[in-house]
Amino acid sequence: MLRRMITFMQVLVSGFATGCIYGLVALSFVLIYKATETVSFMQGELLMVGAFAVLALNVGAGWPLWLAALCGVAGMVVLGAVLERSVLRRAIGQPHLTAVLLTFGLGMMMRGSVTTVPAASHSMHRLPFPFAGETLTVGPVPVAAEHVAVIVATVLLAAALTLFFRHTRAGLALRACSENPRIASLMGVSVSRMHTLAWALGAGLAACAGLMLAPVTFVHLNMGLIALKAFPAAVLGGMTSLPGALIAGIFLGIAEAIAGLMLPEGVKDIVPYALLMIALLLFPSGIGAAFARGGARLAR
Amino acid sequence: MRSFGLISIRSMVAAVGMATAMTLSVSASATPGVSDREILVGTIQDLSGPIAMLGTPVRDAMLMRFEEANQAGGVHGRMLRLAVEDAAYDPKRAVLAARKLVQRDQVFAFLANMGTPVVMATMQMIVDSGRPHLFPFSPHELTYTPLHPLKFQMFAPYQDYMDAAVRHMVGANGYRQTCLLYQDDDYGLEVMKGVEAGLAKIDMALVERTSYKRGATDFSSQVARLRAAGCDFVVLATVVRETVAVMAEARKIGWEVDMLVTASGYSAQTHELGGDAVEGLYGVTVLPHPYAEGADPALADWIDRYRARFGVAPNVWSAMGYTIADLFIQAADAAGPELTIEGFVSAMASLHTEGDIFGGPAYRFSPDDHLGNRYGRIAQIRDGRWEVLTDYVD
């Protein structure tokens, strides 16, 4: 019985950590969607390029890992901003599909550029995190250090984002812009700057998710595939709710892991999507909206 | 009218004569992709898709072998040229690539097409166009059975060598509870068939099996499940990343169980990425990894040349690409100066090789059997590198 409990806890923690990464990528989807009404299909590629950028600075240029990570993420923020200024801005006013296809194309270009580096396309790489491969024991439950790191980093990032959106001018302006760009611009908020900021943040968040994924799945060309799981999380969260996206990501991660342990073989792969459908039937506007309604009811 | 009739007859004769001459000249140079100076060979690779990590070294090594042959004067004076198309593991793009290589580039043969979906989508079209379909990276039976004059293969299906490898491992180590963790696609199912067949021959059966989808990040539930089933031997139908993740997960929860991975997990990357977690992992190998350290002079020289040409160290895929190109050259050479497709496939169907600088198997092709090798060897990760433990097991 104890052994079963321990196994259950182990799987739960792994699922939670995986869910955090789904959640972070989902956050980046939602951040961009809320501010610009564009579904970005290049988040997976941004995640991959971010991880490769850190790898290049660390292994290629020999920078210490913390500096490489900082500069890599900062570089991705700049890349997001530059892409918005140079390319994505031109899709404003065009049909939705234009922007979607544009992000697809940009993603393919990013992927293509990484494949031109022989060392990148030949193999997978590891970032030398000090905790990689270590095991911690929490009570009787052995937990991978990288999973703990992922959870801690997600909590810190979520806290930083909350502070940013609640207490900084730029964060408030971005929120205002997401709620109603017309009124925001009447209030003196530069909508186009906010778009740049949203893409920059979206790219930065994707890069952070890439960094967290690196010790779990290593750095390789296909690490961006995780976006396929993160997108349902974003939808489940309601596409417009930042906490909703994070919670939905964690929910999917845990559901997937527990289903793999408890349910008959072959069922686990259906579970996240079945749950997604049920949740959308029950809460058509997403988990985030359902939570918000619940909160409002409680407040009344 | 008379003169008109005469002219008409003359012109008809001339036309018939020209047509005959053209037919003759066409049949004289009818072998596509072959001129007096050149042999053009096509390959459909994955250079940008999910298995670009395999496709790139394969392409590079084939180029390298062709360049070496050209520097040495070519094959019967003809230079070898490789026309590479990138299909990114996508069957739709592969069909377009195959059509282009057949119709526009007029290649002589297809070499080392990459990936089962690509091969399944294009193989029929290629052999229907009369081009040899050689050594595709698809360990699927259809690539050499039923016997077809134009199909040749050097990679045995997973089913064949995993059957033998599992029987060998169970026999040598006395495992009682064999389990399987597999990728939920054709690859995994093929391995499952092999493992089941091997166990059935020694009156055993799989105790537990569990799967994952490609791109999965978390293996905790699968490993927990296998442990709960009391497995003492786990066969992994995984690729590199999943192999490392599964081993790391098992070691994390303190489960010391023997695991055997297919040739898809036999890669230097497995121990480079996995470190201590993968020590002791068994693997099946067809060609040994070309390690620079401890290489004999011929292999060390090859590694240096590869590094100088492409700027990265070669891996087991490079060794495969090089071997494939080398087999092609040997058969083309044996086919003689008048290179035709018939001549080439008949030379291929009697090609026997005697090992190579990599320590690969001796390939034996015959008119009745177009699969050059059926067996793999068991290797184990010891002190951070693969050590080959056995000869080819059958």
Side-chain angles (χ1 to χ4, degrees):
Chain A
M1 191 60 201
L2 180 68
R3 170 86 173 275
R4 274 195 174 174
M5 274 311 290
I6 293 176
T7 306
F8 183 82
M9 289 304 292
Q10 276 165 358
V11 172
L12 192 71
V13 173
S14 293
F16 193 90
T18 313
C20 282
I21 302 175
Y22 293 165
L24 276 185
V25 184
L27 262 185
S28 74
F29 273 115
V30 170
L31 194 70
I32 291 170
Y33 180 76
K34 258 186 94 155
T36 67
E37 294 200 338
T38 302
V39 180
S40 165
F41 277 101
M42 60 180 185
Q43 293 313 100
E45 274 73 22
L46 284 170
L47 177 154
M48 181 264 296
V49 172
F52 268 110
V54 176
L55 183 81
L57 292 176
N58 177 238
V59 179
W63 295 12
L65 187 59
W66 65 269
L67 187 63
L70 214 62
C71 294
V73 173
M76 291 306 292
V77 168
V78 173
L79 177 69
V82 168
L83 284 179
E84 198 278 332
R85 286 263 156 164
S86 56
V87 184
L88 293 157
R89 178 162 292 187
R90 290 163 206 274
I92 293 175
Q94 307 282 341
H96 275 312
L97 192 63
T98 311
V100 169
L101 290 180
L102 209 52
T103 59
F104 248 127
L106 285 170
M108 282 164 90
M109 282 169 70
M110 282 185 245
R111 197 184 164 83
S113 2
V114 175
T115 53
T116 56
V117 182
S121 53
H122 262 65
S123 50
M124 281 179 249
H125 305 270
R126 66 185 311 164
L127 282 172
F129 284 106
F131 51 79
E134 298 290 322
T135 305
L136 309 172
T137 40
V138 183
V141 184
V143 179
E146 50 255 36
H147 286 162
V148 177
V150 165
I151 295 170
V152 171
T154 307
V155 170
L156 291 179
L157 260 176
L161 278 176
T162 312
L163 285 178
F164 173 72
F165 280 114
R166 297 221 168 138
H167 300 288
T168 65
R169 259 187 104 75
L172 286 171
L174 186 54
R175 270 172 72 195
C177 194
S178 313
E179 294 300 328
N180 193 328
R182 185 174 293 231
I183 295 178
S185 77
L186 287 175
M187 295 291 168
V189 173
S190 160
V191 175
S192 64
R193 275 198 194 163
M194 288 305 119
H195 279 192
T196 312
L197 180 64
W199 281 101
L201 273 180
L205 263 182
C208 287
L211 264 183
M212 290 184 202
L213 196 57
V216 184
T217 69
F218 310 117
V219 180
H220 58 107
L221 261 184
N222 302 320
M223 63 191 298
L225 279 181
I226 198 161
L228 292 180
K229 291 272 176 65
F231 188 66
V235 176
L236 188 56
M239 264 336 257
T240 51
S241 157
L242 293 173
L246 194 58
I247 293 168
I250 295 172
F251 171 69
L252 280 187
I254 292 179
E256 209 178 33
I258 298 294
L261 181 70
M262 317 280 277
L263 297 180
E265 176 54 32
V267 177
K268 67 169 181 287
D269 299 311
I270 315 167
V271 165
Y273 300 100
L275 285 174
L276 176 68
M277 275 189 249
I278 294 170
L280 284 180
L281 275 175
L282 296 180
F283 316 110
S285 45
I287 287 184
F291 270 106
R293 270 205 307 277
R297 224 172 279 148
L298 279 179
R300 276 207 299 274
Chain B
M1 276 304 281
R2 245 176 100 189
S3 67
F4 183 77
L6 261 180
I7 290 165
S8 154
I9 289 167
R10 250 186 228 159
S11 58
M12 268 173 68
V13 169
V16 169
M18 266 174 70
T20 319
M22 274 172 70
T23 320
L24 282 177
S25 73
V26 165
S27 65
S29 63
T31 308
V34 178
S35 68
D36 291 342
R37 283 173 300 173
E38 188 181 78
I39 306 173
L40 181 61
V41 181
T43 183
I44 306 175
Q45 286 301 321
D46 179 0
L47 304 177
S48 59
I51 51 170
M53 267 183 243
L54 283 47
T56 315
V58 166
R59 187 251 343 240
D60 288 354
M62 288 200 293
L63 278 177
M64 178 172 158
R65 182 68 192 94
F66 276 13
E67 285 168 9
E68 286 174 1
N70 291 343
Q71 276 159 17
V75 176
H76 297 292
R78 293 187 181 97
M79 296 295 127
L80 294 160
R81 187 155 67 88
L82 190 66
V84 184
E85 286 294 321
D86 175 19
Y89 203 63
D90 177 353
K92 296 188 294 298
R93 282 178 67 181
V95 169
L96 295 177
R99 212 168 273 160
K100 171 180 177 280
L101 288 169
V102 167
Q103 292 170 356
R104 201 161 92 194
D105 298 336
Q106 295 271 324
V107 296
F108 170 70
F110 281 78
L111 206 53
N113 290 353
M114 177 61 76
T116 299
V118 165
V119 170
M120 289 304 131
T122 57
M123 185 166 60
Q124 195 57 45
M125 186 213 293
I126 290 170
V127 294
D128 284 349
S129 72
R131 309 310 210 279
H133 188 264
L134 309 170
F135 320 129
F137 277 84
S138 163
H140 201 290
E141 281 181 326
L142 280 178
T143 56
Y144 63 94
T145 55
L147 191 68
H148 187 289
L150 296 173
K151 292 184 192 171
F152 289 86
Q153 178 59 294
M154 59 184 264
F155 302 112
Y158 291 107
Q159 204 174 329
D160 277 23
Y161 69 75
M162 285 313 284
D163 170 338
V166 166
R167 270 184 292 124
H168 175 87
M169 287 294 288
V170 172
N173 300 315
Y175 303 120
R176 307 211 152 271
Q177 308 262 69
T178 303
C179 302
L180 173 71
L181 195 156
Y182 64 102
Q183 183 162 298
D184 190 8
D185 60 5
D186 281 353
Y187 157 56
L189 296 176
E190 184 99 359
V191 175
M192 190 197 295
K193 276 193 241 163
V195 173
E196 283 177 332
L199 288 174
K201 285 179 192 160
I202 47 175
D203 292 327
M204 291 175 94
L206 274 177
V207 173
E208 176 67 288
R209 68 194 74 189
T210 181
S211 68
Y212 67 92
K213 291 271 181 225
R214 269 181 60 187
T217 43
D218 181 35
F219 294 88
S220 57
S221 64
Q222 286 91 337
V223 173
R225 207 180 177 105
L226 294 174
R227 189 184 198 189
C231 314
D232 61 0
F233 177 46
V234 178
V235 181
L236 301 177
T238 50
V239 194
V240 173
R241 186 177 64 76
E242 298 85 0
T243 310
V244 173
V246 170
M247 284 291 279
E249 179 67 29
R251 299 302 178 245
K252 180 187 94 186
I253 60 172
W255 188 31
E256 296 291 332
V257 64
D258 284 352
M259 298 201 193
L260 170 77
V261 70
T262 71
S264 291
Y266 174 87
S267 158
Q269 286 255 284
T270 309
H271 54 71
E272 282 164 12
L273 295 169
D276 288 345
V278 294
E279 268 301 303
L281 170 71
Y282 292 96
V284 183
T285 163
V286 181
L287 268 178
H289 179 85
Y291 287 105
E293 197 184 321
D296 65 33
L299 180 59
D301 179 49
W302 180 82
I303 294 171
D304 287 344
R305 278 183 286 135
Y306 187 96
R307 222 185 246 282
R309 173 71 175 79
F310 302 108
V312 282
N315 56 27
V316 69
W317 301 97
S318 325
M320 290 180 191
Y322 193 85
T323 309
I324 286 174
D326 188 62
L327 285 182
F328 176 83
I329 291 169
Q330 290 192 39
D333 191 52
E338 291 300 321
L339 185 60
T340 60
I341 286 177
E342 295 73 31
F344 176 83
V345 292
S346 104
M348 192 82 240
S350 55
L351 187 69
H352 286 191
T353 68
E354 295 302 334
D356 50 42
I357 55 167
F358 307 110
Y363 295 100
R364 297 268 180 280
F365 297 93
S366 74
D368 310 323
D369 187 4
H370 286 188
L371 176 62
N373 165 52
R374 291 204 138 67
Y375 310 114
R377 301 159 92 168
I378 308 283
Q380 188 178 26
I381 297 182
R382 292 179 176 177
D383 298 325
R385 60 180 275 164
W386 286 102
E387 300 261 340
V388 177
L389 302 182
T390 69
D391 202 352
Y392 289 90
V393 291
D394 59 359

